[in-house]
């Protein structure tokens, strides 16, 4: 263990799993370097004790070696089915307190810190924020978000006409953040995700850009999306303003483009629009919102979700899902590549007249535009699956608003309630189109009764029909893999929006302000192709597609979108009572079919940063904290000047996979040190325990804060651990 006694301004922790001591019952030890905040320390112990089945009182020993040097001995993990989560404790001790000290408060000495080693007690409260379970849908969204900074990042775009008071604008959003708990939320991993609720919002969410800073709104939109979010910090939403050109005539009103970017793990399109409406109220009130914190909120929704009986939902999906798997899209030649990567975006629109005609045609059959879109999509997928033949099951995802549950005021709860669910329907080319329309209408209406059901749970029910779920609405248990469930290759969403408030529009107009209707910019998801339909400010139907450019070629995606719009335009004019599916899709003969390319090989979890270490030197592996931004280790690389080889371990989907990825650097005679910022400790410690169970020498785990001092102190602690 390191023995340097120089004072450290911020806390770093070196976690020894205990196997270095060569005792019969090794005890994990946390060496604490830096100023030990008593309230934070006691709150961390409380948090651990609250989730630990065995009492910890009397089993922890804290030793004081100096004002900025302590060590904490934990109970031995040998034979303990639920060992003390040492990694999570290290994360909590190195975390930033949620609340600053009150005026006049002075930090006292750490509790029970006699140099001979006293028993560490517990406290009733501390500065750590409240946490609560994530929903199963959040669990799936977070798993996909780990694939890239632009995954699950959505946007709303609109234009503000008239004068804009920037101070009032910013203050109004601060007021919304204070009242809405979801805007003060983030995530912690222990090593599985939990939602954490802070008492105060994060930094200002509004950024202002003068005219000419960006070429146009599209440039700003792409820049904002590429930044992603640090999911460990409060604030899943931010707003960027771009001034329009200066008015050229005295009567011309100024304009400002607004790009609202948010993360789907805490918000959805409906939520963002609810928050925009609350912002308008605050702006009109001079930057304030009456009423305090909103309830019910995401915490209440999570508790409501826990109370739902999964039995009827399980029976419904088993009863309505065909036994045969849905027909897949045709595959490209093995080894053939599109030559592109990232997400592709394309859109088209129906005119106002065409939209009205489609609406009336669907209404004559007792359906809506969304049912018409589902019908067209099912026919296109049938056509793409192969030559005309008999009935074939076709599957795709359908997004539900999640606002149909019997929970008071659920329509006003901001949160990630919109839920994509798998829909499978048998398409018969000899059947009338109107029958397929009614079948899909009825199926979606039936699914709406269970729109809270997570797609992963449905996948389990269909894959293992004889099993009965336990704790059905909860994410997988820690021992289970946390991979994404098998998803449909395509997904449809008809933008669900709350009712517009004409009173707010009139009140803004009284201040000389006119705001356009926000337009959604869909997120990149785990599916190969996502199609979102919405109405613009003039009532026209707009279709926007986002596709994985590695799996679908750009030209094929544009062709599919064009076919969709073409059928939506022509069906109301050409589909009579006896028109069959075969007759409709026959009109598309000779046009391009989509071809699905194989998924690219997943990137290696272990990424080399520096060349091999000299003989006898340790290897340092930096562990990415879940939810951290893509450039999380850049400052640490600049601060670390040791000769050791360095790697980065990308956030693994599960602990066994993370441990397996370290095989190249954990051979006989190797010395490994795991390092990272607060938040990486839980998964790093579990990986260390997994390596020990496999007979390898468990590495030391070194953690520190991510601020300026924390980076320097972490680099120093890594040097000391590597030299030990």
């Amino acid at each position: 263990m390191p023995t340097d006694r120089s004072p450290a301004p911020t806390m770093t922790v070196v976690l020894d799993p205990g196997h270095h001591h060569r005792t019969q019952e090794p005890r994990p030890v946390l060496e604490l370097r830096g100023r030990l905040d008593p309230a934070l320390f006691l709150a961390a112990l409380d948090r651990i004790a609250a989730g630990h089945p065995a009492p910890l009182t009397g089993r922890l020993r804290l030793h004081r070696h100096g004002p900025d040097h302590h060590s904490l001995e934990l109970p031995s993990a040998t034979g303990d089915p639920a060992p003390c989560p040492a990694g999570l404790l290290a994360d909590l001790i190195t975390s930033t307190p949620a609340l600053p000290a009150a005026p006049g408060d002075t930090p006292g000495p750490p509790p029970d810190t006699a140099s001979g080693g006293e028993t560490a007690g517990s406290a009733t409260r501390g500065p750590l924020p409240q946490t609560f379970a994530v929903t199963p849908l959040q669990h799936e969204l977070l798993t996909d978000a780990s694939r890239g900074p632009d995954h699950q990042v959505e946007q709303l775009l609109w234009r503000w006409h008239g004068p804009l008071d920037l101070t009032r604008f910013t203050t109004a959003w601060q007021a919304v953040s204070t009242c809405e708990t979801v805007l003060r939320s983030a995530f912690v991993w222990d090593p599985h995700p939990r939602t954490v609720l802070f008492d105060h919002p994060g930094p200002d969410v509004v950024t202002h850009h003068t005219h000419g800073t960006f070429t146009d709104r599209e440039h700003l939109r792409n820049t904002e999306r590429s930044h992603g979010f640090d999911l460990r910090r409060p604030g899943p939403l931010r707003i960027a303003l771009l001034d329009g050109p200066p008015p050229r005539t005295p009567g011309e009103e100024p304009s400002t483009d607004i790009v609202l970017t948010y993360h789907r793990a805490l918000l959805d399109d409906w939520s963002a629009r609810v928050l925009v409406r609350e912002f308008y109220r605050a702006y009109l009130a001079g930057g304030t919102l009456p009423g305090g914190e909103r309830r019910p909120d995401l915490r209440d929704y999570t508790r409501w979700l826990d109370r739902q009986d999964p039995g009827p939902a399980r029976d419904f999906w088993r009863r309505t899902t065909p036994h045969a798997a849905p027909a897949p899209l045709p595959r490209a030649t093995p080894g053939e590549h599109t030559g592109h990567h990232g997400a592709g975006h394309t859109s088209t629109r129906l005119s106002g007249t065409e939209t009205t005609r489609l609406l009336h045609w669907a209404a004559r059959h007792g359906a809506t535009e969304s049912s018409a879109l589902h019908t067209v999509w099912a026919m296109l997928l049938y056509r793409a699956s192969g030559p005309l033949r008999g009935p074939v099951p076709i599957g795709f995802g359908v997004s539900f608003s999640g606002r149909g549950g019997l929970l008071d005021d659920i329509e006003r709860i901001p949160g990630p309630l919109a839920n994509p669910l798998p829909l499978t329907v048998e398409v018969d080319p000899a059947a009338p189109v109107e029958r397929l329309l009614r079948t899909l209408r009825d199926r979606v209406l039936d699914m709406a009764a269970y729109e809270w059901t997570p797609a992963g749970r449905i996948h389990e029910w269909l894959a293992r029909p004889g099993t009965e779920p336990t704790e059905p609405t909860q994410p997988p248990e820690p021992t289970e893999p946390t991979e994404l469930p098998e998803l449909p290759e395509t997904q449809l969403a008809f933008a669900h929006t709350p009712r517009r408030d004409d009173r707010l529009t009139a009140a803004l107009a009284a201040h000389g302000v006119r705001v356009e209707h926000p337009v959604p910019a869909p997120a990149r998801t785990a599916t190969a192709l996502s199609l979102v339909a919405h109405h613009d400010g003039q009532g026209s139907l707009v279709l926007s597609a986002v596709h994985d450019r590695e799996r679908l070629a750009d030209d094929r995606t544009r062709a599919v979108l064009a076919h969709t719009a073409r059928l939506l335009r022509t069906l109301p004019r050409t589909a009579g009572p006896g028109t069959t599916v075969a007759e409709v899709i026959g009109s598309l003969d000779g046009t391009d079919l989509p071809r699905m390319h194989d998924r690219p090989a997943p990137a290696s979890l272990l990424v080399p940063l520096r060349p091999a270490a000299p003989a006898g030197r340790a290897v340092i592996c930096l562990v990415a904290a879940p939810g951290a931004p893509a450039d999380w280790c850049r400052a640490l690389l600049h601060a670390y000047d040791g000769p050791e080889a360095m790697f980065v371990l990308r956030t693994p989907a599960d602990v066994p996979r993370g441990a397996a990825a370290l095989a190249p650097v954990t051979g006989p005679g190797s010395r490994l040190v795991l390092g990272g910022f607060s938040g990486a400790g839980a998964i790093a410690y579990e990986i260390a325990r997994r390596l020990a169970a496999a007979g390898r020498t468990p590495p030391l785990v070194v953690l520190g804060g991510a601020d300026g001092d924390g980076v320097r102190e972490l680099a120093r602690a890594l040097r000391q651990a590597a030299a030990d």
Side-chain angles (χ1 to χ4, degrees):
M1 299 283 290
T3 57
D4 180 77
R5 294 176 180 269
S6 57
T10 59
M11 177 61 68
T12 58
V13 173
V14 178
L15 198 172
D16 184 343
H19 297 265
H20 295 81
H21 296 298
R22 297 180 176 85
T23 61
Q24 287 187 340
E25 289 194 357
R27 295 166 63 97
V29 177
L30 276 68
E31 184 172 3
L32 314 178
R33 289 283 185 173
R35 301 190 183 108
L36 183 59
D37 183 326
L40 181 64
F41 178 73
L42 291 174
L45 294 182
D46 267 353
R47 178 70 57 78
I48 296 298
H52 200 267
L56 295 177
T57 303
R59 303 173 65 201
L60 309 179
R61 299 185 68 83
L62 180 67
H63 303 267
R64 184 177 188 272
H65 309 291
D68 294 311
H69 184 195
H70 302 78
S71 58
L72 178 66
E73 291 185 40
L74 307 181
S76 172
T78 304
D80 190 344
C84 180
L88 174 59
L89 181 57
D91 283 333
L92 295 174
I93 292 174
T94 54
S95 66
T96 302
L99 290 175
D105 284 357
T106 56
D112 303 322
T113 56
S115 59
E118 299 292 334
T119 300
S122 64
T124 58
R125 64 184 300 274
L128 288 174
Q130 172 190 353
T131 69
F132 56 97
V134 299
T135 68
L137 175 60
Q138 284 180 294
H139 199 275
E140 294 171 9
L141 293 172
L142 288 168
T143 300
D144 180 59
S146 66
R147 298 184 176 188
D150 61 338
H151 280 241
Q152 303 300 340
V153 175
E154 291 192 357
Q155 294 171 306
L156 286 179
L157 319 173
W158 73 100
R159 183 163 291 168
W160 176 294
H161 298 273
L164 188 151
D165 185 328
L166 183 59
T167 300
R168 178 187 283 198
F169 190 100
T170 303
T171 304
W173 273 112
Q174 290 172 341
V176 174
S177 298
T178 299
C179 293
E180 301 291 353
T181 56
V182 71
L183 296 183
R184 294 185 271 113
S185 298
F187 296 100
V188 293
W189 279 259
D190 62 356
H192 301 278
R194 289 181 63 82
T195 307
V196 54
L197 175 59
F198 291 87
D199 290 328
H200 299 290
D204 292 344
V205 298
V206 178
T207 304
H208 175 237
H209 303 282
T210 58
H211 177 65
T213 307
F214 293 88
T215 54
D216 54 21
R217 186 173 71 182
E218 186 70 10
H219 182 195
L220 175 61
R221 181 184 76 83
N222 291 332
T223 301
E224 285 293 309
R225 184 188 292 271
S226 67
H227 288 165
F229 286 89
D230 186 345
L231 297 177
R232 305 166 301 167
R233 304 285 182 256
L237 173 149
R238 61 176 179 266
I239 299 96
L241 305 177
L242 179 62
D243 290 339
R248 289 170 292 185
T249 62
E252 185 179 355
E253 60 184 9
S255 65
T256 305
D257 282 318
I258 302 177
V259 177
L260 186 153
T261 306
Y262 61 93
H263 202 282
R264 276 286 288 116
L266 281 168
L267 295 170
D268 55 20
D269 180 82
W270 182 293
S271 302
R273 295 174 189 273
V274 167
L275 295 174
V276 169
R277 188 167 59 190
E278 291 303 296
F279 156 73
Y280 288 152
R281 290 179 55 217
Y283 187 88
L284 291 168
T288 62
L289 270 180
E293 186 176 283
R294 178 203 295 275
R295 296 300 291 266
D297 63 4
L298 187 56
R299 292 169 292 181
D300 303 294
Y301 174 75
T302 302
R303 284 191 285 268
W304 174 84
L305 201 59
D306 289 342
R307 297 193 298 268
Q308 303 312 300
D309 179 8
R314 180 183 63 244
D315 295 342
F316 167 77
W317 257 279
R318 288 179 178 172
R319 183 179 67 253
T320 60
T321 303
H323 293 294
L329 289 173
R331 261 44 191 176
T333 303
E336 181 182 352
H337 302 288
T338 65
H340 299 284
H341 66 277
H345 300 263
T346 186
S347 63
T348 188
R349 61 190 294 149
L350 275 64
S351 68
T353 301
E354 292 166 339
T355 301
T356 301
R357 186 183 297 125
L358 176 67
L359 177 64
H360 290 166
W361 176 78
R364 286 199 301 271
H365 297 285
T368 63
E369 295 163 293
S370 61
S371 297
L373 177 61
H374 298 156
T375 302
V376 165
W377 198 251
M379 291 191 293
L380 287 174
L381 292 181
Y382 179 92
R383 171 182 170 273
S385 67
L388 285 180
R389 55 219 186 275
V392 172
I394 296 297
F396 52 92
V398 175
S399 182
F400 290 80
S401 72
R403 264 71 186 184
L406 299 178
L407 175 64
D408 289 344
D409 220 13
I410 193 172
E411 290 188 350
R412 298 182 66 240
I413 296 178
L417 278 62
N419 191 16
L421 297 177
L423 184 154
T424 304
V425 64
E426 191 172 77
V427 177
D428 183 354
V433 171
E434 60 186 38
R435 182 191 301 173
L436 179 60
L437 175 70
R438 289 193 297 267
T439 299
L440 285 165
R441 175 203 62 190
D442 295 343
R443 180 68 54 80
V444 170
L445 286 174
D446 290 341
M447 291 169 63
Y450 312 107
E451 62 178 349
W452 47 267
T453 312
R457 184 62 64 180
I458 296 171
H459 178 68
E460 291 179 8
W461 292 338
L462 299 179
R464 297 180 291 174
T467 60
E468 299 298 322
T470 58
E471 296 186 341
T473 61
Q474 292 300 314
E477 292 296 318
T479 55
E480 297 181 12
T482 54
E483 283 293 293
L484 282 170
E486 185 175 335
L487 298 172
E489 294 175 322
T490 64
Q491 178 177 304
L492 300 184
F494 211 102
H496 309 283
T497 60
R499 296 186 184 92
R500 297 185 65 175
D501 192 331
D502 293 334
R503 293 174 299 177
L504 286 177
T505 303
L508 288 168
H511 286 73
V513 174
R514 178 174 58 88
V515 291
E516 296 179 358
H517 190 62
V519 175
R524 183 180 182 184
T525 68
T527 57
L529 173 62
S530 297
L531 179 63
V532 177
H534 74 276
H535 291 107
D536 63 14
Q538 289 72 46
S540 296
L541 185 64
V542 180
L543 305 176
S544 301
V546 180
H547 68 283
D548 185 338
R549 301 183 75 200
E550 290 180 309
R551 302 196 64 203
L552 278 175
D554 294 346
D555 57 343
R556 301 296 178 110
T557 303
R558 287 192 295 268
V560 170
L561 193 62
H563 301 336
T564 304
R566 175 182 172 184
L567 290 184
L568 290 174
R569 292 186 182 105
T570 59
L571 275 180
R573 293 187 285 105
T574 61
T579 303
T580 65
V581 170
E583 290 173 327
V584 172
I585 61 179
S587 66
L588 300 175
D589 284 346
T591 54
D592 289 338
L593 294 173
R595 293 189 303 157
M596 193 71 65
H597 294 254
D598 292 335
R599 290 184 182 275
S604 173
L605 291 178
L606 192 64
V607 181
L609 298 177
R610 292 186 180 177
R617 304 295 301 190
V619 173
I620 294 176
C621 182
L622 305 178
V623 180
D631 60 350
W632 68 274
C633 64
R634 182 178 301 169
L636 182 58
L637 287 176
H638 287 299
Y640 190 84
D641 57 2
E644 289 78 18
M646 295 189 75
F647 294 81
V648 163
L649 180 66
R650 302 179 193 270
T651 306
D654 51 57
V655 169
R657 187 166 300 179
L662 292 174
V665 293
T666 56
S670 63
R671 288 195 305 118
L672 178 65
V673 176
L674 299 179
F677 294 122
S678 180
I683 194 166
Y685 178 64
E686 293 304 316
I687 288 174
R689 292 184 64 233
R690 173 74 58 159
L691 293 174
R696 300 172 184 171
T697 302
L700 296 176
V701 177
V702 184
L703 293 180
D707 57 5
D709 287 339
V711 171
R712 289 189 293 271
E713 294 304 322
L714 177 57
R716 184 175 70 165
L718 284 170
R719 282 193 296 270
Q720 293 172 349
D724 183 31

